[in-house]
Amino acid sequence: MEETLSNCANCGQPAMDGDHATPLCSDCRESFTRLHIPVWIRIFAGGIAVILLFSLFTLPRSISLGIHLEKGERAIKAKKFNTAVKELSKVLEKVPSNIEARGNLLIAAFYNQDFILLDSMYKKLEDVNIEDKDLYGEIEKVMLKANEYHGTDDFDTLAKVYGDEVHIPDTALSHYLQTHSDDCFAAFSYASLLYDRKDYHRCDSLLELALQIDHEYIPALMLAVNVHRDEGDLDGAMTYTDRVLAINHESVWGLSAKARTLLRQKKFKPGLDVALKLYDMDRQSPYAISTLILAYHFNGHTGERDALIKKAQSVSLDPTAKDNLQYALDVINNKEKF
Amino acid sequence: MFFIPGFVITLVTFPGVIVHELAHQLFCHYFKVPVFKVVYFQLGNPAGYVLHEPVKNKAQGMLISVGPFIVNTVIGALISLPAALPVFTFHTAGPLDYLLIYLGVSIAMHAFPSRGDANVIWHSIKEESTPGWVRIIGYPVVGLIYLGSLGSFFWLDLLYGVGVAVGLPNLIIYLLR
């Protein structure tokens, strides 16, 4: 079959050979396949490219903040409030006004029993409109619980009669509790007084009363751990420790109490494991440091123990940290019974 | 459902139209297909088009038609990604963030190939010489484009743009957390 050569559809010159849908000479084909972009489109594309570069430059920061917020919110749901504080604090470092981070940090602060942080977040959220209904509900729930940590007006009136709550006579407290059977704070306050007097039996009964009013009343659970430990009921102490940890899986106090209870039960290796987990989670906590020192001590890891003591002593310690470290040192030196 | 004349939407989201046509042109250039005319933007129907030589290689032809879907989606997503969180999550956005979101959504919502693009693929894959695998991919693609075109009446293109600009950052964070 004879091939027919057409003329170029653009310029009329003989079209080049080749299997193309449009007959074009080589010059025209080359010209049409070249990239012709008008100047204004080049400027537009250049603008888009600049914006794209800017976006790529700022993307990691934005994604990183989003991840911290997501991790913080997930940690709250998983009751890992220590992690939540760390993640949400990172968000607030960069975006101090973020309502979600503040709200969730308030919740985490409560379950960590960090009332300075709770108060600070509450003040920042006081006049803010929280659109997230779930978050608002959770904050409200936490603030209602936090109210139980303060005396009611009636209890404050009673305390004023005797100067302060420590000086309220037992009879007045008993009478008050009969007429205010839902006052968790009053029951706990009375239990604390009885604990100081080593009246563990009555203290325990009052703690049970407080826990009947609010089964997640953390100070009552913590005091119950101490009561049972002091009575030598280590299994009982562990039960209350687990209840603290059920509320906050990362409670520094709870993990510390668990590690120490395990050490007292002569379960040295599990005690060390919990102490190490706690220390990894919070290396600044005086509880975590002193607990790990004790765990190293009872596991015979004297090298690690002494290194940690040296490290703890090398930094300036606040009074709580000093007391904690001193307690650990006294146990090691047999000055304190463990 | 409220009605906004198409030319208004086109006018407001003109960056997406330009990127769409530019993507067609770039794919043509990549496959060395002669381009006879490019209208990057006009107030009419279509809002832009690229007139190029019919492509004998069916796969290349399909890629030229769906090229904007890839280019507009990727560019729209990358532009809006860093701004989506300040705007929708942190509520700390400044004017630049809103500009990025506007550009991202505008570009991503014009990712869908037009009915004209679908017609080109349709006529191309109907030919006897079209390999079977190109038909297997081509027919669903044409179907999806028509569906997308139909869906644009219900703001599907805008939903896609918003999904790319807003949904994608949250998906990335969910996967990276």
Side-chain angles (χ1 to χ4, degrees):
Chain A
M1 191 176 165
E2 194 182 330
E3 191 181 339
T4 338
L5 283 175
S6 325
N7 288 337
C8 172
N10 187 48
C11 67
Q13 296 291 314
M16 64 185 283
D17 289 337
D19 189 19
H20 296 293
T22 314
L24 290 171
C25 67
S26 58
D27 287 347
C28 288
R29 181 161 293 282
E30 195 193 323
S31 167
F32 284 125
T33 49
R34 216 177 291 144
L35 196 59
H36 295 286
I37 299 176
V39 175
W40 72 275
I41 290 292
R42 285 179 190 270
I43 294 169
F44 171 83
I48 294 288
V50 169
I51 290 169
L52 198 59
L53 280 174
F54 172 78
S55 291
L56 290 173
F57 183 71
T58 54
L59 183 62
R61 178 186 178 269
S62 185
I63 293 284
S64 158
L65 277 177
I67 290 172
H68 287 310
L69 184 62
E70 174 78 15
K71 279 185 175 173
E73 289 177 349
R74 289 179 68 85
I76 296 265
K77 285 187 185 122
K79 298 183 177 183
K80 293 181 172 178
F81 296 109
N82 203 288
T83 301
V85 168
K86 283 179 195 163
E87 296 295 338
L88 296 167
S89 298
K90 282 176 191 165
V91 175
L92 288 176
E93 269 173 32
K94 305 282 181 196
V95 196
S97 60
N98 186 255
I99 296 168
E100 284 79 10
R102 278 183 185 172
N104 281 300
L105 194 55
L106 179 147
I107 294 165
F110 170 76
Y111 287 107
N112 282 332
Q113 301 287 280
D114 182 347
F115 293 100
I116 295 168
L117 183 60
L118 178 112
D119 192 46
S120 149
M121 286 302 115
Y122 179 74
K123 278 177 184 158
K124 284 175 182 167
L125 285 168
E126 222 169 3
D127 300 318
V128 173
N129 178 32
I130 300 169
E131 286 173 8
D132 184 336
K133 297 252 184 302
D134 290 341
L135 179 62
Y136 182 78
E138 277 303 310
I139 292 172
E140 209 171 38
K141 186 178 138 191
V142 158
M143 290 315 294
L144 278 173
K145 278 177 175 282
N147 272 341
E148 290 178 352
Y149 288 64
H150 304 286
T152 59
D153 289 345
D154 285 355
F155 187 77
D156 288 345
T157 308
L158 179 69
K160 268 181 197 163
V161 172
Y162 298 97
D164 58 48
E165 63 188 60
V166 180
H167 295 100
I168 306 172
D170 285 20
T171 46
L173 277 169
S174 297
H175 179 71
Y176 179 87
L177 282 171
Q178 277 167 13
T179 52
H180 297 78
S181 56
D182 59 344
D183 192 334
C184 203
F185 178 80
F188 173 72
S189 298
Y190 192 15
S192 299
L193 292 175
L194 294 171
Y195 176 76
D196 290 342
R197 291 185 216 152
K198 299 192 190 305
D199 187 349
Y200 298 134
H201 184 70
R202 286 173 66 207
C203 172
D204 197 30
S205 303
L206 280 166
L207 290 176
E208 275 310 308
L209 175 67
L211 290 169
Q212 275 169 21
I213 299 164
D214 177 0
H215 70 283
E216 286 193 340
Y217 195 65
I218 298 169
L221 291 169
M222 287 159 81
L223 189 58
V225 172
N226 292 347
V227 169
H228 286 266
R229 180 199 62 205
D230 290 353
E231 283 186 313
D233 174 17
L234 296 179
D235 290 340
M238 190 60 95
T239 304
Y240 284 101
T241 303
D242 287 340
R243 281 178 68 176
V244 172
L245 289 171
I247 297 165
N248 176 4
H249 299 339
E250 292 181 339
S251 160
V252 171
W253 191 94
L255 285 168
S256 185
K258 182 165 186 152
R260 290 178 188 213
T261 306
L262 286 166
L263 293 175
R264 287 188 176 97
Q265 289 175 324
K266 312 282 182 213
K267 294 173 183 170
F268 297 131
K269 179 70 176 61
L272 178 61
D273 290 343
V274 176
L276 281 168
K277 180 186 164 189
L278 171 62
Y279 184 67
D280 279 343
M281 193 184 79
D282 190 344
R283 287 170 184 256
Q284 307 301 320
S285 160
Y287 273 132
I289 294 167
S290 56
T291 301
L292 185 56
I293 289 169
L294 289 170
Y296 278 145
H297 174 70
F298 286 108
N299 279 273
H301 298 181
T302 48
E304 283 107 324
R305 179 198 69 187
D306 295 342
L308 191 57
I309 292 171
K310 204 173 166 187
K311 192 178 163 189
Q313 285 171 332
S314 67
V315 293
S316 59
L317 299 170
D318 62 30
T320 314
K322 269 183 191 161
D323 286 350
N324 274 284
L325 183 60
Q326 192 54 52
Y327 173 75
L329 291 174
D330 288 348
V331 171
I332 291 166
N333 296 320
N334 292 317
K335 290 181 186 168
E336 181 88 39
K337 194 183 166 213
F338 185 69
Chain B
M1 192 64 58
F2 56 97
F3 179 76
I4 297 176
F7 78 91
V8 175
I9 297 165
T10 308
L11 189 64
V12 172
T13 60
F14 77 95
V17 180
I18 296 172
V19 173
H20 182 108
E21 302 313 330
L22 201 54
H24 277 311
Q25 192 185 8
L26 289 172
F27 270 80
C28 284
H29 177 69
Y30 182 75
F31 293 123
K32 295 187 170 36
V33 173
V35 171
F36 304 124
K37 190 179 180 187
V38 183
V39 172
Y40 294 98
F41 181 73
Q42 65 178 9
L43 277 179
N45 193 11
Y49 62 88
V50 173
L51 198 62
H52 60 79
E53 182 180 58
V55 189
K56 295 228 163 159
N57 184 315
K58 311 297 176 190
Q60 288 181 359
M62 199 150 67
L63 277 170
I64 289 169
S65 293
V66 298
F69 183 74
I70 303 162
V71 173
N72 282 50
T73 301
V74 170
I75 293 181
L78 287 177
I79 285 180
S80 53
L81 265 174
L85 291 170
V87 172
F88 300 104
T89 305
F90 297 124
H91 310 294
T92 53
L96 189 64
D97 293 307
Y98 286 106
L99 175 70
L100 291 177
I101 289 290
Y102 155 71
L103 272 176
V105 173
S106 298
I107 291 171
M109 76 176 278
H110 283 284
F112 280 10
S114 63
R115 260 178 290 181
D117 297 327
N119 289 338
V120 170
I121 304 174
W122 175 250
H123 288 300
S124 171
I125 56 177
K126 266 198 327 185
E127 288 173 13
E128 277 183 25
S129 57
T130 306
W133 69 270
V134 176
R135 284 172 196 246
I136 289 170
I137 299 171
Y139 285 124
V141 168
V142 171
L144 284 173
I145 295 172
Y146 277 121
L147 270 177
S149 176
L150 197 69
S152 68
F153 183 74
F154 304 102
W155 300 98
L156 188 68
D157 45 2
L158 178 65
L159 275 177
Y160 181 78
V162 173
V164 167
V166 182
L168 211 58
N170 288 308
L171 180 69
I172 289 172
I173 286 164
Y174 178 79
L175 295 173
L176 291 178
R177 75 193 189 276

